[in-house]
């Protein structure tokens, strides 16, 4: 019950790296469509990777805290046209 996929997504907006992601039990996740407009017009390159995490607690904001159970996956990249 305390093991999750932790998905990390990074993209540029106005030259600044933005971070988003989620912890999920599912083996797939749909990128929220609003990220298309948040990324800069010429910066719609997204990087992502996944780590398997064991939840060890909860932050005051409700987010999960955890420890990795292995290496983070290879970073993958896609361009959203």
């Amino acid at each position: 019950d305390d093991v999750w996929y932790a998905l990390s997504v990074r993209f540029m907006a106005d030259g600044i790296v933005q971070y988003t992601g989620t912890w999920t039990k599912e083996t797939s996740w749909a990128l929220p469509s609003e990220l298309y407009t948040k990324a800069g017009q010429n910066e719609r390159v997204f990087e992502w990777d996944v780590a398997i995490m064991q939840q060890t607690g909860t932050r005051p904001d409700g987010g999960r805290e955890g420890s990795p159970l292995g290496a983070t996956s290879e970073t993958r990249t896609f361009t959203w046209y």
Side-chain angles (χ1 to χ4, degrees):
D1 287 338
D2 61 348
V3 176
W4 297 79
Y5 294 109
L7 174 67
S8 175
V9 178
R10 296 160 306 277
F11 62 95
M12 300 291 286
D14 297 323
I16 300 170
V17 178
Q18 305 293 312
Y19 298 89
T20 190
T22 191
W23 285 38
T24 182
K25 300 269 186 185
E26 304 299 319
T27 57
S28 64
W29 181 69
L31 197 64
S33 60
E34 63 267 12
L35 291 183
Y36 180 80
T37 57
K38 287 185 179 182
Q41 290 262 340
N42 298 318
E43 303 170 309
R44 290 206 173 105
V45 176
F46 292 77
E47 294 183 341
W48 64 277
D49 50 46
V50 178
I52 298 174
M53 301 290 287
Q54 181 172 21
Q55 185 176 353
T56 58
T58 304
R59 297 189 313 249
D61 67 1
R64 294 177 181 86
E65 294 180 330
S67 300
L69 294 178
T72 300
S73 73
E74 174 184 342
T75 298
R76 307 245 178 209
T77 305
F78 67 92
T79 303
W80 194 347
Y81 295 103

